[in-house]
Amino acid sequence: MNPSQAHAYQDIRDGVRALCAQFSDEYHRKVDAARAYPEAFVDALTQAGWLAAMIPQEFGGSGLGLAEASVIMEEINRSGGNSGACHGQMYNMGTLLRHGSRAQKEIYLPKIASGELRLQSMGVTEPTTGTDTTRIKTVAVRKGERYVVNGQKVWISRVQHSDLMILLARTTPLAEVKKKSEGMSIFLVDLREAIGKGLTVRPIANMVNHETNELFFDNLEIPAENLIGEEGKGFRYILDGLNAERTLIAAECIGDGYWFIERVSKYAKERIVFDRPIGQNQGVQFPIAEAYIDVEAANLMRWRACELFDRQQPCGAEANMAKYLAANASWKAANVCLQYHGGFGFAAEYDIERKFRETRLYQVAPISTNLILSYVAEHILGMPRSF
Ligand SMILES: Cc1cc2nc3c(=O)[nH]c(=O)nc-3n(C[C@H](O)[C@H](O)[C@H](O)COP(=O)(O)OP(=O)(O)OC[C@H]3O[C@@H](n4cnc5c(N)ncnc54)[C@H](O)[C@@H]3O)c2cc1C
């Protein structure tokens, strides 16, 4: 594959585009206004098999890589939708696929592939530790054949629309490990069993139509067989998943970026002010052209990250840089799109203000731009650690 080809994976693009075309701007607008979950849209994606793209064929999926998964996410956002409602399944899947036991894969993957179960949630962030993940305070203590979990998480998305959640908790106290990244473990939590029996979910109203929550764990019991991989190595497993997440979100931002640029260049050709299309003014053309160049450039780094991830090679730098470039590019495109729609950009019926809010999230989540800069400065360029 030549990664710079605009037509890479055209068959997947055509398939996802055809499905997305059944869900109009009005559908997404209504879901946003009602602060509802796009059930019909996510169901259609599931039934068509798109959300099982990364599940191996032996477990009922299509056995595709991160590159193909990223095209699916890009197309959803490019169509005017928001992958934030369902992208969790793609990257959480990778964690189970790479580190889960054969038994775990046999139990869960076929049901996830068929749509019987959703694996849309991942619980990492905590209110008192923020980005400093190694200091998480949620603990899981082994008692016989169970782990008992106590603690709190915040901003955990799609819990109300998922059956399963991947949870990061400390299994060895920070004071007892050699490296702070050791002693954490990941678990598969069956939300159907857990909610109301040790897990309390409190929704957080927020700027985007994004279902996200505070979680409170009070002696939640998880069967020991739900530990994923080896005890104490969970942070390393999560990092693998985070590289997939960052690359997929880069693709979503690229989808957003193209959406904004298509909308604004069309409008700039049609909107007549001072007896000429606004797009005839170079003061309008140049910022749009610049935003387009940024989206195209970010796209190249996205393909590089996908390629390395799919070859199981280290891709931390590329995944982070792709997410950084793409989030900045989509944000620039969003601003240009809003600006050159003038007042109409603020009208809900144009969908720009909705997409503007949605793409703004990616400056902060799942990792903030500052933390990416810090990663590049310290891990790639070898500058002294600041934390
Ligand atoms: C809508 C939404 C959905 C989310 N979904 C999930 C989810 O499903 N699962 C999950 O686990 N988490 C989720 N998150 C959490 C998200 O990953 C975090 O919000 C994000 O990583 C930033 O962490 P924080 O909010 O604790 O910010 P903090 O860590 O408190 O940081 C605040 C600000 O300070 C900056 N900062 C902090 N330290 C430094 C430093 N040393 N140098 C420079 N700048 C610094 C950061 O860049 C940031 O801008 C979600 C968040 C949102 C808003």
Side-chain angles (χ1 to χ4, degrees), residues 122 124-125 130-131 155-157 210 212 361 364-366 368 370-371 387:
M122 176 173 68
V124 174
T125 308
T131 315
W155 299 116
I156 309 307
S157 302
H210 189 100
T212 190
L361 174 64
V364 169
S368 67
N370 270 4
L371 267 290
F387 51 86

Side-chain angles (χ1 to χ4, degrees), residues 180-195:
K180 58 184 185 176
S181 56
E182 292 168 358
M184 286 175 277
S185 305
I186 52 172
F187 301 90
L188 201 56
V189 177
D190 190 327
L191 292 163
R192 298 163 304 171
E193 299 279 320
I195 294 173

